[in-house]
Amino acid sequence: MKKIDELLEEYELTDIKDYIYKNIKNSIYLSLTGEDDYKVQGVSRVGGYPDVPEKFEWPSTKDGEPMTFIAQLNLKEISLSDENDFLPKGGILYFFMGIDEPAYDIEHKVVFVEADKNLMIRKPDKVTVLEEDYEESFVPYKIESKACVEIPNYAYMDYDIIEDSDEYFSLEESIRFENQGENYIGKIYGYPEDQHNDSELEAALKIIANHKYSYSSKDKEKLIAALNGDEGKADAEINDIVMLLEIDSNSKIGFSWWDCGVIHFFIRKEDLKNRNFDKTYLSLYSS
């Protein structure tokens, strides 16, 4: 990674080189390529409506209302950017969600369909929950992916190791902004955009222990208890939580997560590798 080495020299941070390389994460950055006219089915898309098999069952909230379609990822294309090699090599991955209130444990559904052929554009039988809440439909955009790397952001950086935080922030922003570009819409993997470094604990607590996060020191204790008191296993589960998708607010599409926030879907690494998308977690962060 010659580029990282050059940036460490530029920002005079060579003394934390080992920390940087230990904490680099592969990610897949997603960018808008243009408004989608639905002429080609099965493309990677955010907003609008999905292309699905004939007998696809539209996800509903616990109140029986249709969830809102957020994105579909054509994994034959997206997986080419997957340096982690976790994603299936084909098929379509769909993301739906309910009302984004409160910001944690948001109702949602992630659906994997192995086929990417014989798909058709599908609209729900009635207005979805977010369309009704926002009083508008969301504009469809095609997206493309590219492999990128990230270093810990301001929420995840180790302040005990990083003495010059201003220079570190500049380094992190330089890497991130160079990769994002003006049409950036979100990413797979990497460090969540958040205020604190507890998103993975929050997700693990719900997925594994079925407890809602309370921002308490006892939250991890609940996870440990659910794993028969094994703290090491709890730490391993937290570390193995993968951010399956993060989507930014975007005025072109109409997404506005509490004005200018992000939503992020999480999954256990083992479940992702086994193509088990029944246990996922969705939260929202907005500054």
Side-chain angles (χ1 to χ4, degrees):
M1 293 185 178
K2 184 177 181 181
K3 180 65 173 178
I4 298 292
D5 287 345
E6 291 174 351
L7 287 171
L8 288 171
E9 292 279 356
E10 179 181 341
Y11 290 102
E12 299 181 352
L13 291 170
T14 54
D15 58 318
I16 62 168
K17 180 177 178 179
D18 290 345
Y19 167 79
I20 293 291
Y21 276 93
K22 182 179 179 181
N23 291 280
I24 283 176
K25 286 190 175 184
N26 293 317
S27 60
I28 303 173
Y29 277 36
L30 305 172
S31 299
L32 306 179
T33 62
E35 194 170 333
D36 195 349
D37 57 11
Y38 297 121
K39 289 183 178 179
V40 179
Q41 274 66 60
V43 300
S44 294
R45 175 188 302 138
V46 291
Y49 300 105
D51 307 319
V52 297
E54 183 179 0
K55 296 183 179 180
F56 183 86
E57 183 176 346
W58 194 282
S60 297
T61 67
K62 61 184 178 182
D63 295 326
E65 299 299 315
M67 290 187 181
T68 298
F69 169 72
I70 300 300
Q72 67 181 35
L73 303 179
N74 183 312
L75 296 178
K76 184 177 182 180
E77 300 170 354
I78 299 293
S79 65
L80 296 176
S81 303
D82 184 9
E83 298 292 337
N84 290 331
D85 198 27
F86 295 159
L87 294 171
K89 301 303 181 186
I92 306 288
L93 196 57
Y94 302 91
F95 298 82
F96 295 82
M97 68 181 285
I99 293 294
D100 53 349
E101 176 72 41
Y104 55 86
D105 195 19
I106 299 170
E107 274 196 280
H108 70 287
K109 185 72 173 177
V110 179
V111 181
F112 174 62
V113 174
E114 292 193 20
D116 58 9
K117 305 293 184 182
N118 300 318
L119 305 175
M120 61 186 71
I121 182 71
R122 169 83 176 276
K123 296 184 179 182
D125 295 332
K126 63 180 191 177
V127 175
T128 67
V129 288
L130 282 182
E131 289 177 314
E132 183 173 3
D133 189 50
Y134 282 44
E135 297 183 343
E136 66 174 322
S137 296
F138 301 109
V139 180
Y141 271 81
K142 291 179 286 187
I143 54 177
E144 64 181 4
S145 65
K146 69 173 180 178
C148 298
V149 296
E150 293 184 345
I151 63 174
N153 56 27
Y154 65 92
Y156 285 80
M157 61 182 282
D158 189 331
Y159 288 85
D160 291 332
I161 293 176
I162 300 166
E163 297 179 357
D164 193 337
S165 58
D166 289 339
E167 285 301 303
Y168 181 86
F169 290 149
S170 296
L171 169 65
E172 190 272 328
E173 288 180 353
S174 176
I175 295 171
R176 177 159 44 91
F177 291 157
E178 179 178 329
N179 286 328
Q180 285 184 348
E182 61 180 343
N183 293 316
Y184 174 82
I185 184 60
K187 64 184 178 182
I188 301 167
Y189 310 143
Y191 290 95
E193 183 178 341
D194 210 332
Q195 186 67 38
H196 306 287
N197 64 347
D198 52 3
S199 291
E200 292 82 0
L201 170 58
E202 179 181 338
L205 185 64
K206 179 62 180 180
I207 293 172
I208 297 169
N210 197 29
H211 281 290
K212 288 187 177 181
Y213 194 54
S214 64
Y215 302 94
S216 165
S217 59
K218 295 182 179 180
D219 284 321
K220 187 175 179 181
E221 294 176 13
K222 293 176 182 177
L223 178 61
I224 293 171
L227 295 168
N228 300 315
D230 191 332
E231 184 174 1
K233 189 172 183 179
D235 288 334
E237 287 286 2
I238 294 168
N239 290 333
D240 280 348
I241 291 291
V242 174
M243 188 164 70
L244 186 58
L245 183 67
E246 181 176 272
I247 294 292
D248 273 13
S249 294
N250 186 280
S251 59
K252 295 178 181 177
I253 299 168
F255 289 159
S256 180
W257 315 123
W258 289 24
D259 188 27
C260 59
V262 301
I263 55 172
H264 21 228
F265 296 80
F266 294 97
I267 190 171
R268 295 175 65 239
K269 184 190 298 182
E270 181 180 352
D271 288 337
L272 175 55
K273 288 183 174 180
N274 290 331
R275 302 185 180 186
N276 177 14
F277 297 96
D278 292 333
K279 294 182 179 180
T280 53
Y281 184 79
L282 173 60
S283 58
L284 182 154
Y285 167 71
S286 180
S287 57

mmCIF file with all atom_site columns, all heavy atoms in Angstrom, residues 193-212:
data_model
loop_
_atom_site.group_PDB
_atom_site.id
_atom_site.type_symbol
_atom_site.label_atom_id
_atom_site.label_alt_id
_atom_site.label_comp_id
_atom_site.label_asym_id
_atom_site.label_entity_id
_atom_site.label_seq_id
_atom_site.pdbx_PDB_ins_code
_atom_site.Cartn_x
_atom_site.Cartn_y
_atom_site.Cartn_z
_atom_site.occupancy
_atom_site.B_iso_or_equiv
_atom_site.pdbx_formal_charge
_atom_site.auth_seq_id
_atom_site.auth_comp_id
_atom_site.auth_asym_id
_atom_site.auth_atom_id
_atom_site.pdbx_PDB_model_num
ATOM 1   N N   . GLU A 1 193 ? -20.309 5.266   9.932  1.00 0.00 ? 193 GLU A N   1
ATOM 2   C CA  . GLU A 1 193 ? -20.350 6.671   10.316 1.00 0.00 ? 193 GLU A CA  1
ATOM 3   C C   . GLU A 1 193 ? -21.210 6.760   11.565 1.00 0.00 ? 193 GLU A C   1
ATOM 4   O O   . GLU A 1 193 ? -22.402 6.436   11.541 1.00 0.00 ? 193 GLU A O   1
ATOM 5   C CB  . GLU A 1 193 ? -20.938 7.521   9.192  1.00 0.00 ? 193 GLU A CB  1
ATOM 6   C CG  . GLU A 1 193 ? -20.939 9.005   9.501  1.00 0.00 ? 193 GLU A CG  1
ATOM 7   C CD  . GLU A 1 193 ? -21.472 9.848   8.358  1.00 0.00 ? 193 GLU A CD  1
ATOM 8   O OE1 . GLU A 1 193 ? -21.506 9.349   7.217  1.00 0.00 ? 193 GLU A OE1 1
ATOM 9   O OE2 . GLU A 1 193 ? -21.846 10.997  8.619  1.00 0.00 ? 193 GLU A OE2 1
ATOM 10  N N   . ASP A 1 194 ? -20.634 7.186   12.664 1.00 0.00 ? 194 ASP A N   1
ATOM 11  C CA  . ASP A 1 194 ? -21.348 7.177   13.933 1.00 0.00 ? 194 ASP A CA  1
ATOM 12  C C   . ASP A 1 194 ? -20.663 8.125   14.902 1.00 0.00 ? 194 ASP A C   1
ATOM 13  O O   . ASP A 1 194 ? -19.563 8.638   14.624 1.00 0.00 ? 194 ASP A O   1
ATOM 14  C CB  . ASP A 1 194 ? -21.372 5.757   14.521 1.00 0.00 ? 194 ASP A CB  1
ATOM 15  C CG  . ASP A 1 194 ? -22.609 5.498   15.357 1.00 0.00 ? 194 ASP A CG  1
ATOM 16  O OD1 . ASP A 1 194 ? -23.149 6.476   15.922 1.00 0.00 ? 194 ASP A OD1 1
ATOM 17  O OD2 . ASP A 1 194 ? -23.039 4.339   15.455 1.00 0.00 ? 194 ASP A OD2 1
ATOM 18  N N   . GLN A 1 195 ? -21.289 8.342   16.037 1.00 0.00 ? 195 GLN A N   1
ATOM 19  C CA  . GLN A 1 195 ? -20.709 9.201   17.065 1.00 0.00 ? 195 GLN A CA  1
ATOM 20  C C   . GLN A 1 195 ? -19.810 8.413   18.000 1.00 0.00 ? 195 GLN A C   1
ATOM 21  O O   . GLN A 1 195 ? -18.849 8.929   18.539 1.00 0.00 ? 195 GLN A O   1
ATOM 22  C CB  . GLN A 1 195 ? -21.827 9.869   17.877 1.00 0.00 ? 195 GLN A CB  1
ATOM 23  C CG  . GLN A 1 195 ? -21.350 10.897  18.891 1.00 0.00 ? 195 GLN A CG  1
ATOM 24  C CD  . GLN A 1 195 ? -20.754 12.130  18.241 1.00 0.00 ? 195 GLN A CD  1
ATOM 25  O OE1 . GLN A 1 195 ? -21.238 12.586  17.210 1.00 0.00 ? 195 GLN A OE1 1
ATOM 26  N NE2 . GLN A 1 195 ? -19.692 12.669  18.816 1.00 0.00 ? 195 GLN A NE2 1
ATOM 27  N N   . HIS A 1 196 ? -20.143 7.124   18.199 1.00 0.00 ? 196 HIS A N   1
ATOM 28  C CA  . HIS A 1 196 ? -19.400 6.265   19.114 1.00 0.00 ? 196 HIS A CA  1
ATOM 29  C C   . HIS A 1 196 ? -18.993 4.987   18.393 1.00 0.00 ? 196 HIS A C   1
ATOM 30  O O   . HIS A 1 196 ? -19.482 4.688   17.304 1.00 0.00 ? 196 HIS A O   1
ATOM 31  C CB  . HIS A 1 196 ? -20.253 5.937   20.341 1.00 0.00 ? 196 HIS A CB  1
ATOM 32  C CG  . HIS A 1 196 ? -20.799 7.141   21.036 1.00 0.00 ? 196 HIS A CG  1
ATOM 33  N ND1 . HIS A 1 196 ? -20.018 7.979   21.792 1.00 0.00 ? 196 HIS A ND1 1
ATOM 34  C CD2 . HIS A 1 196 ? -22.058 7.660   21.073 1.00 0.00 ? 196 HIS A CD2 1
ATOM 35  C CE1 . HIS A 1 196 ? -20.759 8.968   22.282 1.00 0.00 ? 196 HIS A CE1 1
ATOM 36  N NE2 . HIS A 1 196 ? -22.001 8.797   21.857 1.00 0.00 ? 196 HIS A NE2 1
ATOM 37  N N   . ASN A 1 197 ? -18.118 4.224   19.037 1.00 0.00 ? 197 ASN A N   1
ATOM 38  C CA  . ASN A 1 197 ? -17.597 3.010   18.398 1.00 0.00 ? 197 ASN A CA  1
ATOM 39  C C   . ASN A 1 197 ? -18.329 1.757   18.870 1.00 0.00 ? 197 ASN A C   1
ATOM 40  O O   . ASN A 1 197 ? -17.727 0.699   19.058 1.00 0.00 ? 197 ASN A O   1
ATOM 41  C CB  . ASN A 1 197 ? -16.099 2.868   18.675 1.00 0.00 ? 197 ASN A CB  1
ATOM 42  C CG  . ASN A 1 197 ? -15.794 2.676   20.153 1.00 0.00 ? 197 ASN A CG  1
ATOM 43  O OD1 . ASN A 1 197 ? -16.659 2.874   21.005 1.00 0.00 ? 197 ASN A OD1 1
ATOM 44  N ND2 . ASN A 1 197 ? -14.565 2.296   20.463 1.00 0.00 ? 197 ASN A ND2 1
ATOM 45  N N   . ASP A 1 198 ? -19.649 1.891   19.051 1.00 0.00 ? 198 ASP A N   1
ATOM 46  C CA  . ASP A 1 198 ? -20.402 0.787   19.636 1.00 0.00 ? 198 ASP A CA  1
ATOM 47  C C   . ASP A 1 198 ? -21.462 0.207   18.710 1.00 0.00 ? 198 ASP A C   1
ATOM 48  O O   . ASP A 1 198 ? -22.329 -0.556  19.149 1.00 0.00 ? 198 ASP A O   1
ATOM 49  C CB  . ASP A 1 198 ? -21.067 1.250   20.939 1.00 0.00 ? 198 ASP A CB  1
ATOM 50  C CG  . ASP A 1 198 ? -21.887 2.534   20.767 1.00 0.00 ? 198 ASP A CG  1
ATOM 51  O OD1 . ASP A 1 198 ? -21.986 3.019   19.624 1.00 0.00 ? 198 ASP A OD1 1
ATOM 52  O OD2 . ASP A 1 198 ? -22.402 3.054   21.781 1.00 0.00 ? 198 ASP A OD2 1
ATOM 53  N N   . SER A 1 199 ? -21.431 0.534   17.439 1.00 0.00 ? 199 SER A N   1
ATOM 54  C CA  . SER A 1 199 ? -22.450 0.043   16.513 1.00 0.00 ? 199 SER A CA  1
ATOM 55  C C   . SER A 1 199 ? -22.458 -1.484  16.439 1.00 0.00 ? 199 SER A C   1
ATOM 56  O O   . SER A 1 199 ? -23.529 -2.104  16.367 1.00 0.00 ? 199 SER A O   1
ATOM 57  C CB  . SER A 1 199 ? -22.226 0.620   15.111 1.00 0.00 ? 199 SER A CB  1
ATOM 58  O OG  . SER A 1 199 ? -22.493 1.998   15.084 1.00 0.00 ? 199 SER A OG  1
ATOM 59  N N   . GLU A 1 200 ? -21.276 -2.082  16.453 1.00 0.00 ? 200 GLU A N   1
ATOM 60  C CA  . GLU A 1 200 ? -21.187 -3.533  16.345 1.00 0.00 ? 200 GLU A CA  1
ATOM 61  C C   . GLU A 1 200 ? -21.722 -4.224  17.605 1.00 0.00 ? 200 GLU A C   1
ATOM 62  O O   . GLU A 1 200 ? -22.367 -5.267  17.527 1.00 0.00 ? 200 GLU A O   1
ATOM 63  C CB  . GLU A 1 200 ? -19.736 -3.956  16.075 1.00 0.00 ? 200 GLU A CB  1
ATOM 64  C CG  . GLU A 1 200 ? -19.229 -3.548  14.704 1.00 0.00 ? 200 GLU A CG  1
ATOM 65  C CD  . GLU A 1 200 ? -18.752 -2.108  14.619 1.00 0.00 ? 200 GLU A CD  1
ATOM 66  O OE1 . GLU A 1 200 ? -18.809 -1.394  15.651 1.00 0.00 ? 200 GLU A OE1 1
ATOM 67  O OE2 . GLU A 1 200 ? -18.327 -1.682  13.534 1.00 0.00 ? 200 GLU A OE2 1
ATOM 68  N N   . LEU A 1 201 ? -21.450 -3.644  18.773 1.00 0.00 ? 201 LEU A N   1
ATOM 69  C CA  . LEU A 1 201 ? -22.009 -4.176  20.016 1.00 0.00 ? 201 LEU A CA  1
ATOM 70  C C   . LEU A 1 201 ? -23.530 -4.075  19.994 1.00 0.00 ? 201 LEU A C   1
ATOM 71  O O   . LEU A 1 201 ? -24.240 -5.020  20.368 1.00 0.00 ? 201 LEU A O   1
ATOM 72  C CB  . LEU A 1 201 ? -21.451 -3.416  21.222 1.00 0.00 ? 201 LEU A CB  1
ATOM 73  C CG  . LEU A 1 201 ? -22.127 -3.694  22.579 1.00 0.00 ? 201 LEU A CG  1
ATOM 74  C CD1 . LEU A 1 201 ? -22.062 -5.177  22.926 1.00 0.00 ? 201 LEU A CD1 1
ATOM 75  C CD2 . LEU A 1 201 ? -21.494 -2.846  23.675 1.00 0.00 ? 201 LEU A CD2 1
ATOM 76  N N   . GLU A 1 202 ? -24.040 -2.942  19.555 1.00 0.00 ? 202 GLU A N   1
ATOM 77  C CA  . GLU A 1 202 ? -25.483 -2.742  19.464 1.00 0.00 ? 202 GLU A CA  1
ATOM 78  C C   . GLU A 1 202 ? -26.128 -3.806  18.582 1.00 0.00 ? 202 GLU A C   1
ATOM 79  O O   . GLU A 1 202 ? -27.162 -4.382  18.933 1.00 0.00 ? 202 GLU A O   1
ATOM 80  C CB  . GLU A 1 202 ? -25.770 -1.348  18.917 1.00 0.00 ? 202 GLU A CB  1
ATOM 81  C CG  . GLU A 1 202 ? -27.234 -1.018  18.751 1.00 0.00 ? 202 GLU A CG  1
ATOM 82  C CD  . GLU A 1 202 ? -27.461 0.370   18.187 1.00 0.00 ? 202 GLU A CD  1
ATOM 83  O OE1 . GLU A 1 202 ? -26.562 1.226   18.296 1.00 0.00 ? 202 GLU A OE1 1
ATOM 84  O OE2 . GLU A 1 202 ? -28.550 0.603   17.631 1.00 0.00 ? 202 GLU A OE2 1
ATOM 85  N N   . ALA A 1 203 ? -25.507 -4.066  17.427 1.00 0.00 ? 203 ALA A N   1
ATOM 86  C CA  . ALA A 1 203 ? -26.039 -5.064  16.500 1.00 0.00 ? 203 ALA A CA  1
ATOM 87  C C   . ALA A 1 203 ? -25.935 -6.468  17.076 1.00 0.00 ? 203 ALA A C   1
ATOM 88  O O   . ALA A 1 203 ? -26.890 -7.253  17.006 1.00 0.00 ? 203 ALA A O   1
ATOM 89  C CB  . ALA A 1 203 ? -25.296 -4.975  15.170 1.00 0.00 ? 203 ALA A CB  1
ATOM 90  N N   . ALA A 1 204 ? -24.781 -6.810  17.641 1.00 0.00 ? 204 ALA A N   1
ATOM 91  C CA  . ALA A 1 204 ? -24.579 -8.147  18.199 1.00 0.00 ? 204 ALA A CA  1
ATOM 92  C C   . ALA A 1 204 ? -25.547 -8.421  19.342 1.00 0.00 ? 204 ALA A C   1
ATOM 93  O O   . ALA A 1 204 ? -26.077 -9.527  19.484 1.00 0.00 ? 204 ALA A O   1
ATOM 94  C CB  . ALA A 1 204 ? -23.142 -8.307  18.678 1.00 0.00 ? 204 ALA A CB  1
ATOM 95  N N   . LEU A 1 205 ? -25.789 -7.407  20.170 1.00 0.00 ? 205 LEU A N   1
ATOM 96  C CA  . LEU A 1 205 ? -26.686 -7.566  21.311 1.00 0.00 ? 205 LEU A CA  1
ATOM 97  C C   . LEU A 1 205 ? -28.087 -7.959  20.857 1.00 0.00 ? 205 LEU A C   1
ATOM 98  O O   . LEU A 1 205 ? -28.735 -8.830  21.455 1.00 0.00 ? 205 LEU A O   1
ATOM 99  C CB  . LEU A 1 205 ? -26.736 -6.265  22.109 1.00 0.00 ? 205 LEU A CB  1
ATOM 100 C CG  . LEU A 1 205 ? -27.533 -6.280  23.415 1.00 0.00 ? 205 LEU A CG  1
ATOM 101 C CD1 . LEU A 1 205 ? -26.898 -7.229  24.421 1.00 0.00 ? 205 LEU A CD1 1
ATOM 102 C CD2 . LEU A 1 205 ? -27.642 -4.877  23.992 1.00 0.00 ? 205 LEU A CD2 1
ATOM 103 N N   . LYS A 1 206 ? -28.559 -7.334  19.780 1.00 0.00 ? 206 LYS A N   1
ATOM 104 C CA  . LYS A 1 206 ? -29.898 -7.643  19.284 1.00 0.00 ? 206 LYS A CA  1
ATOM 105 C C   . LYS A 1 206 ? -29.929 -8.963  18.523 1.00 0.00 ? 206 LYS A C   1
ATOM 106 O O   . LYS A 1 206 ? -30.819 -9.800  18.728 1.00 0.00 ? 206 LYS A O   1
ATOM 107 C CB  . LYS A 1 206 ? -30.395 -6.516  18.383 1.00 0.00 ? 206 LYS A CB  1
ATOM 108 C CG  . LYS A 1 206 ? -31.776 -6.755  17.787 1.00 0.00 ? 206 LYS A CG  1
ATOM 109 C CD  . LYS A 1 206 ? -32.839 -6.875  18.869 1.00 0.00 ? 206 LYS A CD  1
ATOM 110 C CE  . LYS A 1 206 ? -34.213 -7.102  18.275 1.00 0.00 ? 206 LYS A CE  1
ATOM 111 N NZ  . LYS A 1 206 ? -35.255 -7.227  19.310 1.00 0.00 ? 206 LYS A NZ  1
ATOM 112 N N   . ILE A 1 207 ? -28.952 -9.169  17.630 1.00 0.00 ? 207 ILE A N   1
ATOM 113 C CA  . ILE A 1 207 ? -28.946 -10.367 16.790 1.00 0.00 ? 207 ILE A CA  1
ATOM 114 C C   . ILE A 1 207 ? -28.771 -11.636 17.620 1.00 0.00 ? 207 ILE A C   1
ATOM 115 O O   . ILE A 1 207 ? -29.450 -12.641 17.412 1.00 0.00 ? 207 ILE A O   1
ATOM 116 C CB  . ILE A 1 207 ? -27.838 -10.279 15.726 1.00 0.00 ? 207 ILE A CB  1
ATOM 117 C CG1 . ILE A 1 207 ? -28.144 -9.162  14.716 1.00 0.00 ? 207 ILE A CG1 1
ATOM 118 C CG2 . ILE A 1 207 ? -27.674 -11.610 14.996 1.00 0.00 ? 207 ILE A CG2 1
ATOM 119 C CD1 . ILE A 1 207 ? -27.009 -8.876  13.752 1.00 0.00 ? 207 ILE A CD1 1
ATOM 120 N N   . ILE A 1 208 ? -27.872 -11.589 18.609 1.00 0.00 ? 208 ILE A N   1
ATOM 121 C CA  . ILE A 1 208 ? -27.516 -12.790 19.365 1.00 0.00 ? 208 ILE A CA  1
ATOM 122 C C   . ILE A 1 208 ? -28.339 -12.939 20.645 1.00 0.00 ? 208 ILE A C   1
ATOM 123 O O   . ILE A 1 208 ? -28.832 -14.028 20.958 1.00 0.00 ? 208 ILE A O   1
ATOM 124 C CB  . ILE A 1 208 ? -26.011 -12.773 19.703 1.00 0.00 ? 208 ILE A CB  1
ATOM 125 C CG1 . ILE A 1 208 ? -25.187 -12.806 18.407 1.00 0.00 ? 208 ILE A CG1 1
ATOM 126 C CG2 . ILE A 1 208 ? -25.639 -13.947 20.611 1.00 0.00 ? 208 ILE A CG2 1
ATOM 127 C CD1 . ILE A 1 208 ? -23.719 -12.522 18.598 1.00 0.00 ? 208 ILE A CD1 1
ATOM 128 N N   . ALA A 1 209 ? -28.495 -11.830 21.391 1.00 0.00 ? 209 ALA A N   1
ATOM 129 C CA  . ALA A 1 209 ? -29.160 -11.903 22.695 1.00 0.00 ? 209 ALA A CA  1
ATOM 130 C C   . ALA A 1 209 ? -30.596 -11.410 22.675 1.00 0.00 ? 209 ALA A C   1
ATOM 131 O O   . ALA A 1 209 ? -31.302 -11.519 23.675 1.00 0.00 ? 209 ALA A O   1
ATOM 132 C CB  . ALA A 1 209 ? -28.362 -11.105 23.727 1.00 0.00 ? 209 ALA A CB  1
ATOM 133 N N   . ASN A 1 210 ? -31.019 -10.819 21.546 1.00 0.00 ? 210 ASN A N   1
ATOM 134 C CA  . ASN A 1 210 ? -32.369 -10.265 21.402 1.00 0.00 ? 210 ASN A CA  1
ATOM 135 C C   . ASN A 1 210 ? -32.671 -9.211  22.465 1.00 0.00 ? 210 ASN A C   1
ATOM 136 O O   . ASN A 1 210 ? -33.778 -9.142  23.012 1.00 0.00 ? 210 ASN A O   1
ATOM 137 C CB  . ASN A 1 210 ? -33.433 -11.363 21.450 1.00 0.00 ? 210 ASN A CB  1
ATOM 138 C CG  . ASN A 1 210 ? -34.767 -10.890 20.897 1.00 0.00 ? 210 ASN A CG  1
ATOM 139 O OD1 . ASN A 1 210 ? -34.823 -10.014 20.042 1.00 0.00 ? 210 ASN A OD1 1
ATOM 140 N ND2 . ASN A 1 210 ? -35.853 -11.461 21.402 1.00 0.00 ? 210 ASN A ND2 1
ATOM 141 N N   . HIS A 1 211 ? -31.659 -8.381  22.762 1.00 0.00 ? 211 HIS A N   1
ATOM 142 C CA  . HIS A 1 211 ? -31.831 -7.254  23.674 1.00 0.00 ? 211 HIS A CA  1
ATOM 143 C C   . HIS A 1 211 ? -31.610 -5.953  22.915 1.00 0.00 ? 211 HIS A C   1
ATOM 144 O O   . HIS A 1 211 ? -30.724 -5.867  22.062 1.00 0.00 ? 211 HIS A O   1
ATOM 145 C CB  . HIS A 1 211 ? -30.826 -7.322  24.828 1.00 0.00 ? 211 HIS A CB  1
ATOM 146 C CG  . HIS A 1 211 ? -31.195 -8.289  25.906 1.00 0.00 ? 211 HIS A CG  1
ATOM 147 N ND1 . HIS A 1 211 ? -32.253 -8.080  26.766 1.00 0.00 ? 211 HIS A ND1 1
ATOM 148 C CD2 . HIS A 1 211 ? -30.635 -9.462  26.275 1.00 0.00 ? 211 HIS A CD2 1
ATOM 149 C CE1 . HIS A 1 211 ? -32.330 -9.095  27.615 1.00 0.00 ? 211 HIS A CE1 1
ATOM 150 N NE2 . HIS A 1 211 ? -31.365 -9.947  27.339 1.00 0.00 ? 211 HIS A NE2 1
ATOM 151 N N   . LYS A 1 212 ? -32.401 -4.951  23.248 1.00 0.00 ? 212 LYS A N   1
ATOM 152 C CA  . LYS A 1 212 ? -32.177 -3.635  22.671 1.00 0.00 ? 212 LYS A CA  1
ATOM 153 C C   . LYS A 1 212 ? -31.046 -2.934  23.400 1.00 0.00 ? 212 LYS A C   1
ATOM 154 O O   . LYS A 1 212 ? -30.907 -3.053  24.614 1.00 0.00 ? 212 LYS A O   1
ATOM 155 C CB  . LYS A 1 212 ? -33.455 -2.792  22.732 1.00 0.00 ? 212 LYS A CB  1
ATOM 156 C CG  . LYS A 1 212 ? -34.531 -3.231  21.757 1.00 0.00 ? 212 LYS A CG  1
ATOM 157 C CD  . LYS A 1 212 ? -35.700 -2.257  21.750 1.00 0.00 ? 212 LYS A CD  1
ATOM 158 C CE  . LYS A 1 212 ? -36.744 -2.673  20.717 1.00 0.00 ? 212 LYS A CE  1
ATOM 159 N NZ  . LYS A 1 212 ? -37.896 -1.728  20.680 1.00 0.00 ? 212 LYS A NZ  1
#
